[in-house]
Amino acid sequence: EIVMTQSPATLSVSPGERATLSCRASQSVNSNLAWYQQKPGQAPRLLIYGASTRATGIPARFSGSGSGTEFTLTISGLQSEDFAVYYCQQYNTWRTFGQGTKLEIK
Amino acid sequence: QLQLQESGPGLVKPSETLSLSCSVSGDSISSSSYLWGWIRQPPGKGLEWIGSISYSGSAYYNPSLKSRVTISVDTSENQFSLKLTSVTAADTAVYYCARQPVAADKTFDCWGQGTLVTVSS
């Protein structure tokens, strides 16, 4: 099983600033990596797939990068609605999720 | 507008079988453009993929759950279903169904609201 490790577990950032979230795979997943956002009491929302392709309707302030085992989700100009939990997910071999990064208001 | 809605018992006894359905509206489940998947999330924890199925009935499962999981599709009802046997308290979770577009690498682009299933006697 490919293990996905996200860091940090919690990230405190002020509105308007940039947040950088990391995701590491236990073995290469090529570019088969997605990012999701989840708010309390809601289902996750797809943000990024293919490591860097924004899903339909996702604002340009969300960007993804990386390949192989190291990936990054960057959120520029944080808005109040962006504070949530973020999960990475690999789909190179079956599908596994990271444990999540909670993005909180500083 | 696509909507997915999970339904089924909210309480299941240990050792019994958990059965859920996902009704799809606003799109046809009989499309080669999509897979349809199940994901679960224990309270306060992360996400776990359970399995996925195509409209033709080809299914594939999380290896860690494969011996207990069956996913099926009913194109006439535009829905797909999940069965998980021999449940324990560890299977207590919010269960989500989701669409997986081929065009989006079969990631989960549209989710149901989720349904909480508690395993308890």
Side-chain angles (χ1 to χ4, degrees):
Chain A
E1 175 183 315
I2 298 177
V3 178
M4 307 302 292
T5 303
Q6 294 185 239
S7 61
T10 303
L11 181 61
S12 299
V13 183
S14 300
E17 295 190 341
R18 173 183 297 178
T20 302
L21 289 68
S22 297
C23 175
R24 174 177 292 178
S26 60
Q27 63 190 76
S28 176
V29 298
N30 299 300
S31 293
N32 297 315
L33 192 285
W35 289 95
Y36 298 83
Q37 175 195 68
Q38 187 177 33
K39 297 179 180 179
Q42 296 184 17
R45 176 174 72 143
L46 177 66
L47 300 174
I48 300 283
Y49 63 92
S52 61
T53 302
R54 278 189 300 277
T56 302
I58 301 303
R61 66 179 182 273
F62 292 90
S63 63
S65 63
S67 66
T69 62
E70 301 284 343
F71 300 88
T72 300
L73 174 69
T74 301
I75 312 170
S76 303
L78 276 166
Q79 300 189 6
S80 57
E81 63 264 31
D82 299 335
F83 293 94
V85 178
Y86 291 83
Y87 293 96
C88 62
Q89 177 229 329
Q90 69 81 20
Y91 49 93
N92 193 71
T93 305
W94 304 118
R95 278 146 179 81
T96 51
F97 291 87
Q99 82 281 14
T101 290
K102 181 180 181 180
L103 179 60
E104 64 176 26
I105 300 175
K106 185 175 182 179
Chain B
Q1 180 180 354
L2 177 70
Q3 289 191 326
L4 295 91
Q5 179 67 57
E6 304 90 350
S7 61
L11 181 64
V12 181
K13 290 183 167 56
S15 79
E16 296 190 344
T17 296
L18 179 160
S19 296
L20 295 174
S21 293
C22 179
S23 295
V24 179
S25 59
D27 201 353
S28 173
I29 204 170
S30 301
S31 170
S32 59
S33 298
Y34 306 113
L35 295 182
W36 304 91
W38 287 98
I39 306 97
R40 70 180 181 178
Q41 185 172 36
K45 297 187 178 181
L47 300 160
E48 180 180 36
W49 170 68
I50 300 171
S52 301
I53 194 165
S54 71
Y55 77 98
S56 64
S58 296
Y60 58 110
Y61 305 121
N62 185 326
S64 68
L65 297 170
K66 184 176 182 179
S67 63
R68 299 195 292 131
V69 174
T70 302
I71 297 175
S72 59
V73 64
D74 185 341
T75 55
S76 65
E77 296 290 333
N78 218 43
Q79 66 180 27
F80 61 108
S81 300
L82 168 70
K83 290 189 186 299
L84 180 66
T85 62
S86 305
V87 298
T88 69
D91 295 309
T92 294
V94 174
Y95 285 76
Y96 294 101
C97 58
R99 185 181 74 172
Q100 299 178 244
V102 172
D105 293 349
K106 304 174 189 175
T107 51
F108 306 105
D109 81 326
C110 186
W111 298 58
Q113 66 184 22
T115 187
L116 175 63
V117 179
T118 301
V119 178
S120 174
S121 56

